Amino acid sequence: MDRRKVCILMALWAVAHLNSPGYGLRALRRTTGGRRGSAGLTGQDANGVPLRRSKRGWMWNQFFLLEEYTGTDLQYVGKLHSDSDRGDGSVRYVLSGEGAGTLFKIDEKSGDIHATKRLDREEKAYYILHAKAVNRFTNEALEGESEFIIKIHDINDNEPRFTKDPYMAQVPEMSDIGTSVIQVTATDADDATYGNSARVVYSILEGQPYFSVDPDTGLIKTALPDMDREVKENYQVVIQAKDMAGQMGGLSGTTTVSITLSDVNDNPPRFTKSLYEFRVPESTELGATAGLVPAEDADIGENAEMDYRIVWSDSPGTFDIITNRSTQEGVIVLRKPLDFESKRQYSFRIQVENVHINPRFFTNGPFRDEATVKIIVEDVDEPPVFRRAAYVMEVIEDVPRNTAIGSISATDPDGKETLIRYSIDRRTDMDRVFNIHAGNGSVFNVRELDREENTWHNITVIATEFNNPRQMSRVPVYIRVLDVNDNAPTLATNYETFVCENAKANQVGMTTRTKPLPNGNILLFSDNTAWILTRRNSYNSLQRSVYHVPVVITDGDTPMQSSTNTLTIKVCTCDREGKMKLCNAEALTARAGLSTGALVAILLCVIILLMIVVLFAALRRQKKKEPLIISKEDVRDNVVSYNDEGGGEEDTQAFDIGTLRNPEAIEENKQRRDIVPETFYPPVRRPVLPPTRDNNGDVRDFINQRLQDNDSDPTAPPYDSLATYAYEGNGSVAESLSSLESVTTEGDQDYNYLSEWGPRFKKLADMYGGDDSDRDS
């Protein structure tokens, strides 16, 4: 109501001021006294008096109109008047321009201008119009058109408005007085160039005494020092903006500013207890959590991040402490195994410290704290513990059954006199070769062992408690079978070598350790290698290209084992340096090998040739047979090539092999049947070899006798011949096993003794050592 009264009073004052002399639109007095002969002469009247046009001058001042008129009558703006208007109604005033006829209306007779609507300066501050005076009857312009402006005077009709509502702001806690927080801004739509309607002043309505605001700029600052976030974090501040420079009657607007105190690291961490106690079972696995130690920090975020560490311990390295970054708790972790029987309690001191420390608050005290941790170990029932992590045992392969190999020992770590039961995991001993005593842990074999079949046996032994079978543990046991001399040595491969035709005491090749060779060859021994030297001055590949030298191999163990092998020596053509250049076709064929593809190709060629032969034979049947020899000119010599050496391994006609099978039937000085004997060659005596061990004396005597016979035989050809010996020796414990001699024996024989000779004769014992009823069936 007061506002409306003020507006009415101001409107009345403006109207009275506009109607006062010298304010408004004025017309200059018309001048009629022109000079003779001027350009204004246009003609004469009826009486012959010359007429002159009078020049009119319009001088328009600005009209001023208050906005927001609230009266019931039309608001008077001003009045137009021309000097030519004599008051007889012959002059008509015309108004044009912005708002003419709608916002502004003119009285054609009097020239009074009125506003038909309420005007708002904030919508449009001024209007430009044009006015002229014309003769009402002839519409002749009495005055030239002139322009004038109607300005809208501002009144305080708009309150200040803030750009945001609400405002959000943050300020660090513990800030000093006068720390800037945020600046607020309010705008007023009134005219800032006219009066104080748009002059805004800021003030604080709520939020004191914590904050203050600058009245001119709207900058909010802290008003109290050391505001603590941990005491109060959020504040609501109400700011007022008032126009008219804050005077009474001015309009105002308000906004809310939400201010939050941000955290700084001004609080050290603190343990909730001075002593933490935890109980941990001794069976806890390494790396497991033994306990959680919380520390409190009134700060938040990164200011509350903490690090834990152990500063002292009665058993260093047993426990460790790490930080859980999500909960900021100290996690105690087990690093070494626990044993209730050896140590039942652990003590250590821990320390917690902030990660991010603000130097500004060092005066608040050290940002760390310490506490004591006590760990009590709880006893649990543990499985047996072996004295070793793994056992390795050795046994000779020919030991009898149920021979003790070794023993396994395990104890109860709980310190109780608990009985332990031992067993073998049969999944690791599928053939049940071994067994273990359940009480004392002795391991023994229940089957014969053969190193040649299996050198190592890997089994697993299980130890369980009698009172609690669920408590068990396992240990690996590695059993090695040692070798005994029960196999004769043999050549690893079929050795082949060559000798040059012009060789003189030439080294031929090497093989494993052997006895002296027959036919004049010499052996030189070096470790486990025998070097074979030729004794002849030269060899001729045309006479004989391949030599098969028998080699007897013996070992040096007890009992001594021996075997006879064959060494192949080829006669080849060599250069001066002794390198092989060419061997005969037999040697090359023996050395070369054919691949599977070559064999298939040869087979296909043979099949194709056979098909051609069959086809050719079928065609020949249809033709007349012609004589093989048509004339004497067709007779040609035929050369037949025989590549037969004779006297080889397969030649059984030149030698009596039966003498090898029955050495007692050897005829002394037996002559060769394929050549004429010559008696003028003196016998060659071979030096007697020194006596050696008599384990295989009969075999050695047999070989020496054969060697002497061959060396002293005057009928021997001028080349070496291969003699194959299959003599097994006299005095064998097993005697003869040949089925050829068994047919001459009358009556039944007892073969039960074969079962006592070991696993190698088990098959023969099963075949011949059964009961009579089994044989009859």
Side-chain angles (χ1 to χ4, degrees):
M1 189 67 181
D2 294 337
R3 179 181 177 184
R4 185 175 297 177
K5 291 181 178 180
V6 172
C7 294
I8 294 174
L9 291 175
M10 293 181 65
L12 294 176
W13 175 82
V15 171
H17 188 67
L18 289 174
N19 293 331
S20 62
Y23 192 88
L25 177 63
R26 296 183 181 179
L28 293 178
R29 184 178 300 271
R30 185 182 61 183
T31 56
T32 59
R35 292 176 296 182
R36 284 185 187 269
S38 66
L41 182 63
T42 59
Q44 296 179 350
D45 57 3
N47 298 324
V49 179
L51 299 177
R52 295 180 181 272
R53 187 179 65 186
S54 299
K55 296 181 180 179
R56 302 293 181 182
W58 295 81
M59 182 178 293
W60 302 97
N61 293 328
Q62 294 180 351
F63 288 108
F64 294 92
L65 185 65
L66 289 175
E67 64 172 340
E68 302 294 343
Y69 174 70
T70 58
T72 56
D73 298 334
L74 295 179
Q75 186 178 7
Y76 182 75
V77 178
K79 183 179 180 64
L80 295 180
H81 182 72
S82 175
D83 292 342
S84 60
D85 186 5
R86 300 175 181 176
D88 55 359
S90 61
V91 178
R92 182 169 64 88
Y93 296 96
V94 179
L95 185 64
S96 63
E98 296 178 346
T102 56
L103 296 179
F104 302 100
K105 185 177 181 181
I106 189 171
D107 190 341
E108 294 181 353
K109 294 181 179 181
S110 61
D112 293 331
I113 302 174
H114 292 81
T116 60
K117 297 181 179 179
R118 291 176 54 183
L119 302 179
D120 189 358
R121 190 200 67 83
E122 285 71 33
E123 293 182 1
K124 192 173 180 62
Y126 60 92
Y127 298 87
I128 300 176
L129 293 95
H130 299 86
K132 64 180 179 179
V134 299
N135 189 296
R136 179 180 298 276
F137 305 104
T138 62
N139 286 331
E140 180 182 358
L142 301 178
E143 300 289 347
E145 186 178 87
S146 298
E147 179 181 277
F148 66 96
I149 298 175
I150 298 178
K151 287 189 175 183
I152 310 299
H153 266 187
D154 181 46
I155 63 173
N156 191 17
D157 58 343
N158 293 280
E159 70 275 5
R161 296 181 180 276
F162 286 94
T163 56
K164 293 181 181 179
D165 190 20
Y167 285 86
M168 306 297 294
Q170 284 188 350
V171 63
E173 63 173 333
M174 312 300 291
S175 297
D176 297 332
I177 296 178
T179 301
S180 299
V181 180
I182 192 175
Q183 185 177 11
V184 296
T185 303
T187 58
D188 196 322
D190 294 328
D191 189 3
T193 61
Y194 180 76
N196 294 326
S197 299
R199 184 179 178 186
V200 179
V201 175
Y202 300 94
S203 62
I204 184 169
L205 300 182
E206 296 181 10
Q208 296 175 339
Y210 306 105
F211 300 95
S212 63
V213 63
D214 187 284
D216 297 328
T217 62
L219 180 62
I220 300 176
K221 302 178 181 180
T222 57
L224 289 180
D226 300 334
M227 288 187 292
D228 194 355
R229 185 198 65 82
E230 288 73 28
V231 176
K232 185 176 182 180
E233 183 176 5
N234 297 315
Y235 295 86
Q236 297 292 331
V237 179
V238 178
I239 302 298
Q240 174 184 266
K242 188 174 183 181
D243 58 10
M244 299 297 293
Q247 297 178 1
M248 183 180 296
L251 304 179
S252 64
T254 59
T255 187
T256 301
V257 181
S258 179
I259 301 176
T260 301
L261 296 183
S262 59
D263 184 58
V264 296
N265 191 7
D266 59 338
N267 295 284
R270 291 290 181 264
F271 284 110
T272 57
K273 299 179 182 179
S274 61
L275 175 64
Y276 293 88
E277 184 174 320
F278 302 98
R279 293 183 176 271
V280 181
E282 63 175 335
S283 60
T284 303
E285 297 181 356
L286 299 181
T289 301
L292 298 177
V293 180
E296 295 181 350
D297 193 327
D299 298 322
I300 60 175
E302 67 176 12
N303 297 318
E305 293 182 359
M306 295 173 281
D307 279 339
Y308 295 83
R309 61 176 177 271
I310 298 177
V311 295
W312 174 86
S313 176
D314 61 353
S315 180
T318 305
F319 294 93
D320 191 11
I321 186 169
I322 59 177
T323 304
N324 187 340
R325 291 303 176 188
S326 60
T327 61
Q328 297 301 321
E329 292 180 319
V331 182
I332 300 176
V333 181
L334 180 63
R335 296 303 185 192
K336 293 183 179 180
L338 302 177
D339 188 6
F340 176 81
E341 287 71 28
S342 59
K343 189 174 179 60
R344 302 185 178 185
Q345 182 175 314
Y346 296 86
S347 297
F348 52 91
R349 288 190 63 79
I350 59 175
Q351 184 183 88
V352 62
E353 185 178 12
N354 278 134
V355 177
H356 307 283
I357 300 177
N358 193 336
R360 176 186 171 192
F361 303 101
F362 278 161
T363 56
N364 294 358
F367 283 77
R368 66 175 65 92
D369 195 14
E370 292 186 358
T372 302
V373 178
K374 182 178 180 182
I375 303 293
I376 299 176
V377 181
E378 295 181 344
D379 187 24
V380 295
D381 192 6
E382 298 177 277
V385 177
F386 290 96
R387 296 186 183 276
R388 301 179 187 176
Y391 289 83
V392 179
M393 302 178 183
E394 292 183 348
V395 59
I396 302 176
E397 63 177 333
D398 61 350
V399 297
R401 298 181 181 181
N402 299 324
T403 300
I405 301 173
S407 62
I408 307 296
S409 179
T411 59
D412 186 3
D414 296 328
K416 305 175 183 178
E417 297 297 332
T418 304
L419 296 178
I420 306 298
R421 180 180 181 275
Y422 302 94
S423 61
I424 295 178
D425 188 354
R426 290 304 173 186
R427 291 176 296 180
T428 61
D429 187 21
M430 302 295 292
D431 297 333
R432 296 182 177 271
V433 180
F434 302 95
N435 204 350
I436 188 171
H437 192 278
N440 58 22
S442 298
V443 179
F444 54 90
N445 64 312
V446 295
R447 297 180 60 181
E448 289 80 3
L449 302 177
D450 188 359
R451 189 196 66 84
E452 286 71 27
E453 293 182 359
N454 198 348
T455 304
W456 285 93
H457 296 269
N458 302 331
I459 63 175
T460 300
V461 175
I462 303 174
T464 58
E465 296 182 3
F466 272 101
N467 299 333
N468 188 4
R470 293 178 298 178
Q471 296 294 339
M472 65 173 60
S473 57
R474 300 169 180 265
V475 65
V477 179
Y478 307 101
I479 301 175
R480 180 184 179 186
V481 181
L482 301 179
D483 184 33
V484 296
N485 193 24
D486 58 350
N487 293 286
T490 59
L491 288 176
T493 58
N494 294 326
Y495 280 89
E496 291 185 0
T497 184
F498 70 95
V499 62
C500 296
E501 290 182 335
N502 55 352
K504 295 182 179 180
N506 182 29
Q507 177 180 318
V508 177
M510 64 179 181
T511 179
T512 56
R513 182 184 294 272
T514 66
K515 293 300 180 182
L517 300 179
N519 301 327
N521 292 326
I522 300 175
L523 289 180
L524 296 180
F525 294 96
S526 173
D527 296 335
N528 290 330
T529 302
W531 298 90
I532 304 173
L533 303 181
T534 61
R535 192 171 181 181
R536 298 185 179 183
N537 292 331
S538 63
Y539 294 87
N540 190 348
S541 61
L542 297 178
Q543 295 178 359
R544 189 172 183 180
S545 60
V546 179
Y547 292 87
H548 299 281
V549 180
V551 180
V552 178
I553 306 175
T554 61
D555 58 17
D557 206 345
T558 303
M560 181 180 294
Q561 303 291 335
S562 64
S563 65
T564 303
N565 298 266
T566 302
L567 175 65
T568 302
I569 303 176
K570 300 174 182 179
V571 180
C572 301
T573 302
C574 303
D575 56 12
R576 293 181 179 180
E577 298 179 356
K579 297 182 179 179
M580 183 183 65
K581 296 176 59 178
L582 179 64
C583 285
N584 58 1
E586 180 181 355
L588 294 176
T589 305
R591 178 169 299 190
L594 296 178
S595 62
T596 304
L599 293 176
V600 172
I602 294 174
L603 182 60
L604 292 176
C605 292
V606 171
I607 295 174
I608 294 173
L609 290 176
L610 291 176
M611 294 177 62
I612 293 174
V613 170
V614 173
L615 181 60
F616 181 74
L619 294 176
R620 292 284 294 177
R621 289 179 183 178
Q622 299 178 4
K623 297 181 180 180
K624 183 179 180 181
K625 293 185 179 180
E626 297 179 355
L628 181 60
I629 300 176
I630 300 177
S631 63
K632 295 182 179 181
E633 287 77 14
D634 295 332
V635 178
R636 298 178 177 87
D637 292 334
N638 293 325
V639 179
V640 180
S641 176
Y642 298 94
N643 293 326
D644 187 6
E645 293 183 1
E649 294 180 354
E650 304 299 331
D651 189 357
T652 59
Q653 300 298 330
F655 302 95
D656 186 5
I657 301 179
T659 59
L660 299 178
R661 300 179 180 173
N662 190 4
E664 297 178 355
I666 299 176
E667 298 180 3
E668 296 182 358
N669 300 326
K670 186 176 180 180
Q671 303 296 327
R672 298 267 310 240
R673 292 178 293 179
D674 55 346
I675 61 175
V676 177
E678 296 178 3
T679 58
F680 56 90
Y681 290 101
V684 180
R685 299 186 59 85
R686 189 173 185 84
V688 180
L689 297 176
T692 56
R693 297 165 62 179
D694 296 330
N695 293 337
N696 291 324
D698 54 345
V699 177
R700 186 179 299 103
D701 295 340
F702 173 75
I703 298 299
N704 293 335
Q705 182 64 33
R706 300 278 83 74
L707 180 61
Q708 184 176 2
D709 293 342
N710 289 331
D711 290 342
S712 60
D713 188 1
T715 63
Y719 52 87
D720 292 339
S721 61
L722 178 65
T724 303
Y725 304 107
Y727 176 64
E728 67 178 6
N730 291 329
S732 175
V733 179
E735 298 180 355
S736 177
L737 300 179
S738 175
S739 61
L740 298 178
E741 296 180 1
S742 62
V743 297
T744 61
T745 308
E746 295 181 359
D748 297 333
Q749 296 184 11
D750 184 10
Y751 296 100
N752 293 327
Y753 62 86
L754 295 177
S755 60
E756 300 177 358
W757 290 358
R760 294 184 179 275
F761 299 92
K762 184 177 180 182
K763 187 65 176 180
L764 294 176
D766 295 339
M767 295 174 60
Y768 295 97
D771 297 337
D772 295 340
S773 59
D774 297 337
R775 292 195 297 269
D776 295 340
S777 60

